[in-house]
Amino acid sequence: MKVRIDKAALMVPLYRAQGAADERSNQSNANVTACVHIEAEDDRLILSATDYEVTVNAEVSADVIEPGSALVSAKALFQVVRALPDGATILLTADENHRMRIEAGKGYFHLNGLPPYEFPPQNLDSAAGRVLVTDKVHVESMLRHTLFSVSTDDRRPAISGILLEVEPEGEGQVRLRMVSTDGLRLSKVERLVPAPDFDGNKTSCIIHRRGAAELQRLIEGSDPALRIEFIGRNLVFSSDRTRLQVRQVEANFPDYTRVVPDKSDIAVTLPRDALSTAIRRVAMLGVKGRDDHIQPLKLDIEAGRVSLEMSFPSYGDAHEEVEIDSWEGAAMKFLFNPKHLLDVCSVLTSDNITLELRDQFSPCLLHSDEEPASQFVIMPMRQ
Amino acid sequence: MSETALRTILHADMDAFYAAVEQRDRPELRGKPLLIAFDGPRSVVTTASYEARPFGVGSAMPLALAKRKCPQAIVVAPRFAQYQAVSAQIFEIFGSFSPLVEGLSLDEAFIDLTGTDGLWGSPARAAQLLKDRVWQEVGLRVSVGVAACKFVAKVASDLRKPDALVLVPPEETVAFLAPLPVSRLWGVGEKSLPKLHALGLRTMGDVAAADRAWLVRNLGSHGPFLQDLALGNDDRPVVPGREAKSIGSEQTLMTDVRGRDALWPHLIEAADTIAFRLRREQLRAGGVRVKLKTADFQLLTRQARIAPPTSSARVLLELAAELLPQFDLRLPYRLVGLAAWDLRSADEAVQPDLFTDPARQRDERLDKALDAVRDRFGHAAVRRASHKQD
């Protein structure tokens, strides 16, 4: 294999592929799941990586001098290429001992590799799947509103990913829904999108957070269209000459309808920026893992204002206030994990945010009028 | 290191603590070989008095073996509540010397005396004063080591037990450690000792003098770590307030058992005991640990976090049930234990789960009802129905 390619062109597919390679075996190239497979043919390179759950195949145009393939550590290659000078033209060659030579200007590197045939073959019968083609902006905002609240605890597989539901709505439209939870909070977002070619029934699956994070990388590209295929136990996303295959999590997502509360009588609307600034300020003393016990944020809601308070046994306490216009009810107090409130403030882009409250034992619903199809549920803390 | 090099760390270790408390409280036991243990066919010695130790008897030894080695020994059942009370008294004395007291167990603590010269005089004086006060006020002997870091202080207190006072001035640290065997290095156990010996490293002096790169090649990152200790470089701080790190309950079984069904009743028992103690002490646990000891004395543990923190026996058990399959349950086990860790005050705010099974909340009420009965009639008065089988 011998290929000439610009650094900038190579970085795009390499960035995507190294994300799919298994992080846990990053320093070792003894394992194919830590490697990127490079195939040079015609006038293009195909970079592939897999950890058997998530698989990426990313294609890029290149000047192929001699076709062939190579299998080298994804992290190592990524680090080397990233460190090369911007604008450099790179010459990649692989020898019969599976060593890859990376040359740019006067510098060169050698990476020891594995026999390329050790990379597992990917043979999915794409003819069998249902296909949905949509504008990726929908998926982009849905991911942004759900990825942050996915559980990071893999002992709970059912919530280790985002629930994706597709419901045909007639007239060439489908309702896409994404739901995520870490057991303490939940995010649910819906979009009605045109999908004239979708011919399936209601479909739902769980995309593991690693696959969802890869999807986020994928749609950073310039191609506006995103193709989603449901093939057996797999989901395949394609965009921008890249194919991302994610194995669905085989578990039952918990019944989210049970915990998303109805509208409440007690609703308080706050300016989003002011609220998030105030939370950041009062939570300051508690950050940076000084204390892994989460201190509650006290919200005191009364006519004309919401006061925020946090106290930290070993440091002191902090107070802030946010003005509100509409509050008719009696004064109320709530405790929240400040991060839960802050995360929702961060993913929304609206001017205001509304908290619908019942009592300190019931979930609180957060939403904004400008993005009504996104709902966030957080569970108050209890003293 | 510049700031920490000038520290004065004292390590205090009570001499044969449980046995000494029994001998203090029961004069007829003084001067006699004593084994503190529940008297059963499979129990283990928790402490042997100094009179018993020349017979080759020590803690963690099976009681049956200890009795063979020292047939004249008197076996006394432990009274943990009493040891806890005495420990609290001792820690109060420790705390009067410095606010920085890090308890390692009921009978062992590090005390950071840095900057207390004005109060107690030289480190030697302070150490003697501490020993005298423990003797006068509690009637027990304590061995003390004083050095510039935790590791050396601990080695020093252990060197001439019992009733020892060993002072290692900072400038003599390396010379003090040099002749000591490598087995006294922190983290050197049965596995690494032969390896060190094979490399010709028999004393701490050998380790201190070795080429650092050579150590890395032969021992990996453990090498420089051991060399730092052998040179007396240990800047771990004294972290106060660690005494109540966990609440545990364990049982050495009458016969070795295999399989989940045989272990499970013991875990139920332990969870009930622990949950009761958590609630009595107004605590909740943020983690749970299952401990099993194999028939050949290998101690295995698995642990997990609990969110939200709990004092419910049922929740502790749920976690234990998840941890149990991580052990090889085909092996025979001789000890089953459960411990709650990451303890925190019960009035701290907790984050409830969105999907929490309402049964859990019912269970908290059940736990409280059980506690009320136990407070009146004792711990054995009520048990869960799932105990009935045994």
Side-chain angles (χ1 to χ4, degrees):
Chain A
M1 185 187 95
K2 193 167 190 176
V3 180
R4 191 178 285 116
I5 186 170
D6 287 342
K7 175 188 171 181
L10 181 58
M11 277 302 277
V12 175
L14 189 52
Y15 169 66
R16 290 178 187 154
Q18 61 94 27
D22 192 345
E23 298 152 29
R24 285 157 295 186
S25 46
N26 58 357
Q27 289 311 314
S28 125
N29 62 353
N31 187 340
V32 290
T33 59
C35 287
V36 57
H37 179 269
I38 303 174
E39 178 90 53
E41 57 181 32
D42 305 328
D43 57 350
R44 59 184 186 159
L45 286 183
I46 302 168
L47 278 71
S48 307
T50 184
D51 67 354
Y52 298 105
E53 301 292 324
V54 176
T55 304
V56 167
N57 313 106
E59 197 181 293
V60 63
S61 300
D63 177 11
V64 176
I65 302 158
E66 203 180 286
S69 52
L71 186 60
V72 293
S73 160
K75 279 281 177 320
L77 183 61
F78 180 68
Q79 280 164 357
V80 167
V81 172
R82 188 173 54 183
L84 295 174
D86 289 332
T89 298
I90 302 168
L91 189 66
L92 295 177
T93 41
D95 64 21
E96 64 277 17
N97 295 319
H98 317 304
R99 270 201 343 162
M100 174 171 266
R101 181 183 174 95
I102 306 136
E103 268 179 271
K106 294 198 172 70
Y108 61 89
F109 300 79
H110 287 117
L111 292 181
N112 297 327
L114 294 173
Y117 56 76
E118 288 194 4
F119 192 73
Q122 289 111 50
N123 40 5
L124 271 187
D125 182 9
S126 59
R130 275 157 297 162
V131 182
L132 174 70
V133 180
T134 179
D135 189 321
K136 71 181 184 192
V137 290
H138 304 301
V139 175
E140 195 278 326
S141 68
M142 292 176 80
L143 274 179
R144 189 159 43 82
H145 284 182
T146 47
L147 195 49
F148 73 96
S149 54
V150 175
S151 169
T152 53
D153 182 355
D154 276 330
R155 291 169 310 166
R156 303 171 75 182
I159 58 172
S160 66
I162 295 175
L163 173 73
L164 171 66
E165 293 185 327
V166 184
E167 289 173 9
E169 288 280 325
E171 295 169 16
Q173 288 196 310
V174 296
R175 185 178 300 280
L176 291 182
R177 185 180 299 114
M178 286 192 191
V179 187
S180 72
T181 180
D182 62 5
L184 310 175
R185 53 179 169 168
L186 179 143
S187 310
K188 170 174 161 270
V189 47
E190 292 181 357
R191 297 280 185 274
L192 206 57
V193 302
D197 303 328
F198 186 75
D199 60 355
N201 299 323
K202 182 180 169 176
T203 304
S204 82
C205 61
I206 302 172
I207 314 169
H208 190 268
R209 64 172 184 284
R210 295 219 328 105
E214 276 307 299
L215 178 57
Q216 203 171 36
R217 284 176 205 257
L218 172 64
I219 56 187
E220 281 167 15
S222 53
D223 183 356
L226 175 67
R227 182 184 158 96
I228 308 173
E229 281 171 274
F230 299 84
I231 308 172
R233 278 274 157 214
N234 291 276
L235 266 174
V236 178
F237 302 94
S238 324
S239 182
D240 203 25
R241 299 182 77 183
T242 301
R243 183 176 174 283
L244 166 65
Q245 180 183 320
V246 180
R247 173 149 354 138
Q248 298 174 15
V249 178
E250 297 193 27
N252 292 320
F253 199 83
D255 180 9
Y256 60 87
T257 56
R258 197 161 59 82
V259 296
V260 178
D262 298 330
K263 292 254 173 197
S264 160
D265 300 338
I266 313 167
V268 53
T269 298
L270 296 112
R272 188 180 58 91
D273 266 346
L275 176 63
S276 104
T277 308
I279 298 172
R280 270 182 231 279
R281 227 172 256 154
V282 297
M284 208 157 39
L285 291 171
V287 294
K288 306 283 183 272
R290 274 185 208 151
D291 187 356
D292 60 353
H293 300 186
I294 297 152
Q295 298 299 331
L297 167 73
K298 282 181 210 151
L299 280 193
D300 238 314
I301 306 168
E302 50 195 295
R305 64 174 187 190
V306 173
S307 337
L308 296 84
E309 184 192 329
M310 283 189 77
S311 50
F312 308 92
S314 28
Y315 298 96
D317 43 56
H319 308 258
E320 261 294 348
E321 212 173 275
V322 178
E323 286 182 23
I324 51 170
D325 332 309
S326 57
W327 181 255
E328 306 286 312
M332 294 186 83
K333 279 183 211 295
F334 288 91
L335 299 181
F336 288 108
N337 178 335
K339 188 177 186 312
H340 290 175
L341 268 180
L342 203 52
D343 281 347
V344 176
C345 287
S346 309
V347 297
L348 287 173
T349 51
S350 54
D351 290 340
N352 291 318
I353 180 168
T354 301
L355 280 66
E356 305 226 5
L357 303 148
R358 200 165 301 269
D359 56 46
Q360 74 225 47
F361 304 105
S362 312
C364 162
L365 178 69
L366 289 89
H367 60 87
S368 81
D369 288 344
E370 291 155 63
E371 293 159 282
S374 296
Q375 293 183 310
F376 306 92
V377 182
I378 62 180
M379 193 67 190
M381 293 177 76
R382 234 174 268 167
Q383 196 96 47
Chain B
M1 279 298 289
S2 57
E3 283 174 29
T4 47
L6 299 167
R7 295 185 303 163
T8 307
I9 310 291
L10 184 149
H11 180 256
D13 192 2
M14 303 301 295
D15 299 323
F17 183 52
Y18 298 171
V21 172
E22 296 303 335
Q23 288 178 326
R24 181 195 75 167
D25 294 353
R26 295 168 60 185
E28 75 274 14
L29 298 175
R30 288 179 197 163
K32 304 224 168 95
L34 218 61
L35 301 174
I36 307 299
F38 288 110
D39 203 352
R42 299 176 48 86
S43 61
V44 186
V45 177
T46 46
T47 311
S49 73
Y50 277 96
E51 294 82 359
R53 292 189 188 188
F55 297 91
V57 176
S59 48
M61 180 180 281
L63 182 62
L65 178 61
K67 276 177 166 174
R68 275 204 298 281
K69 288 188 172 224
C70 182
Q72 65 274 48
I74 304 165
V75 180
V76 176
R79 296 178 296 151
F80 290 112
Q82 171 68 351
Y83 307 148
Q84 265 170 354
V86 177
S87 170
Q89 239 182 318
I90 295 164
F91 272 80
E92 214 176 301
I93 298 175
F94 291 170
S96 70
F97 279 81
S98 161
L100 293 176
V101 177
E102 177 179 337
L104 302 174
S105 61
L106 285 180
D107 62 337
E108 191 184 349
F110 284 112
I111 305 164
D112 190 339
L113 292 177
T114 312
T116 61
D117 307 34
L119 280 171
W120 312 112
S122 68
R125 266 206 50 161
Q128 189 58 55
L129 198 59
L130 182 132
K131 283 176 60 68
D132 292 347
R133 281 193 55 194
V134 171
W135 173 241
Q136 285 155 13
E137 296 173 29
V138 189
L140 294 172
R141 300 289 186 190
V142 56
S143 288
V144 167
V146 184
C149 68
K150 279 172 138 182
F151 169 66
V152 180
K154 182 156 170 132
V155 169
S157 73
D158 193 44
L159 205 58
R160 297 201 247 291
K161 263 176 160 296
D163 201 17
L165 197 177
V166 176
L167 193 71
V168 186
E171 64 277 12
E172 290 171 25
T173 302
V174 177
F176 165 80
L177 294 174
L180 299 176
V182 287
S183 55
R184 282 184 181 267
L185 281 169
W186 208 55
V188 172
E190 277 174 41
K191 269 190 196 150
S192 41
L193 193 59
K195 201 167 173 187
L196 293 175
H197 284 172
L199 291 168
L201 303 171
R202 298 201 160 264
T203 65
M204 295 200 202
D206 296 339
V207 178
D211 176 61
R212 212 167 165 88
W214 178 82
L215 282 173
V216 174
R217 274 198 306 280
N218 286 286
L219 296 167
S221 61
H222 201 49
F225 169 78
L226 293 180
Q227 186 172 52
D228 281 339
L229 289 182
L231 289 165
N233 294 334
D234 169 18
D235 52 10
R236 286 172 299 154
V238 172
V239 184
R242 278 220 200 144
E243 305 93 280
K245 273 189 295 196
S246 64
I247 291 181
S249 168
E250 57 186 56
Q251 209 175 350
T252 299
L253 308 172
M254 302 300 282
T255 53
D256 292 342
V257 301
R258 277 172 218 265
R260 184 186 185 284
D261 291 350
L263 296 167
W264 192 242
H266 300 287
L267 289 172
I268 295 179
E269 184 95 45
D272 263 339
T273 308
I274 293 167
F276 175 71
R277 281 191 54 196
L278 284 170
R279 292 190 295 273
R280 196 184 54 195
E281 293 173 32
Q282 298 278 302
L283 294 170
R284 289 198 192 108
V288 67
R289 180 162 52 233
V290 175
K291 183 166 148 185
L292 296 179
K293 197 184 267 179
T294 60
D296 54 352
F297 288 86
Q298 231 191 320
L299 188 63
L300 309 170
T301 61
R302 295 287 181 274
Q303 62 181 42
R305 293 211 144 266
I306 313 171
T310 189
S311 62
S312 148
R314 179 196 167 104
V315 178
L316 294 177
L317 264 182
E318 278 173 13
L319 265 285
E322 283 177 31
L323 291 170
L324 212 47
Q326 297 179 23
F327 294 93
D328 184 349
L329 294 177
R330 293 165 304 179
L331 296 178
Y333 291 103
R334 68 181 330 269
L335 175 145
V336 194
L338 191 69
W341 53 277
D342 186 18
L343 305 181
R344 40 183 93 184
S345 163
D347 55 19
E348 211 173 275
V350 294
Q351 172 73 66
D353 197 287
L354 260 184
F355 298 92
T356 296
D357 181 0
R360 253 192 205 182
Q361 284 161 31
R362 264 205 313 278
D363 222 63
E364 279 176 18
R365 288 203 293 275
L366 172 64
D367 279 334
K368 289 205 176 97
L370 285 180
D371 290 352
V373 178
R374 282 174 185 153
D375 280 344
R376 289 185 61 190
F377 303 107
H379 194 78
V382 276
R383 309 176 105 200
R384 280 164 201 274
S386 40
H387 273 292
K388 271 186 178 165
Q389 62 203 39
D390 53 51

